[in-house]
Amino acid sequence: MTCSTAPASASAELLAALSPTSAAELRTLRHVPVAFVTLAFRNDEIGPDAVPEDLSGVLIPRDSGLLATAISFGSNKWPQWDDGTHTIVRVATGHRHDDRPSTLTDAELIAAVCARLWKLDGRPMDWPVKVGILMIALNVLRVTSNAMEGAVR
């Protein structure tokens, strides 16, 4: 078995001499732009009920038309993220049929995510005090029985 952490196109070039079949299959993979936006809100500004204490997050149907596909209540899900003064929320955006995260600037992505957070509990969230973005491109992988033929000897 071969494992590569490079993008599919780079992996295809690395494997071309060893396994032309694998390289050809890798060249067919499409990258899916996904962005994770992590937001920190001051607890005293958003109120005690903004994020349900008993939930670690919510999944959003891909056909909803929303930019977000999942929201993790980081302070609940990962106790080490809870500093007692901030509520941490991580929003996943993008999927196989939605490449909007790759078309937005960081500022536009943050604004789009923040503009919709209020819709989850019926009231607007204040602007976060800290923001982080992780943009990645995931490979859409199709596995075929002969995709790795000749790659392992």
Side-chain angles (χ1 to χ4, degrees):
M1 172 166 261
T2 302
C3 179
S4 172
T5 58
S9 58
S11 296
E13 298 313 310
L14 293 171
L15 287 173
L18 178 63
S19 176
T21 303
S22 296
E25 187 70 21
L26 286 168
R27 286 186 190 99
T28 68
L29 296 181
R30 179 177 165 255
H31 285 246
V32 177
V34 177
F36 294 93
V37 180
T38 305
L39 309 161
F41 298 94
R42 290 176 47 99
N43 290 343
D44 60 351
E45 291 179 357
I46 64 170
D49 299 325
V51 174
E53 289 183 20
D54 59 340
L55 295 178
S56 62
V58 294
L59 295 175
I60 300 168
R62 291 181 178 168
D63 63 359
S64 70
L66 295 174
L67 181 64
T69 55
I71 298 176
S72 295
F73 305 132
S75 302
N76 295 351
K77 194 171 186 176
W78 301 289
Q80 68 273 20
W81 284 20
D82 186 2
D83 67 359
T85 60
H86 295 92
T87 295
I88 310 298
V89 177
R90 186 176 71 178
V91 181
T93 66
H95 58 80
R96 187 170 57 130
H97 300 294
D98 184 1
D99 64 354
R100 285 179 289 172
S102 66
T103 67
L104 300 172
T105 66
D106 286 356
E108 291 169 334
L109 181 60
I110 293 164
V113 165
C114 290
R116 292 297 207 159
L117 283 179
W118 68 273
K119 292 193 179 258
L120 294 176
D121 72 354
R123 56 197 168 118
M125 296 283 272
D126 293 324
W127 193 255
V129 292
K130 293 181 184 176
V131 177
I133 296 177
L134 171 63
M135 177 74 76
I136 58 176
L138 299 175
N139 290 329
V140 177
L141 181 60
R142 289 180 294 121
V143 178
T144 59
S145 61
N146 64 351
M148 296 306 288
E149 184 178 314
V152 181
R153 299 210 187 270

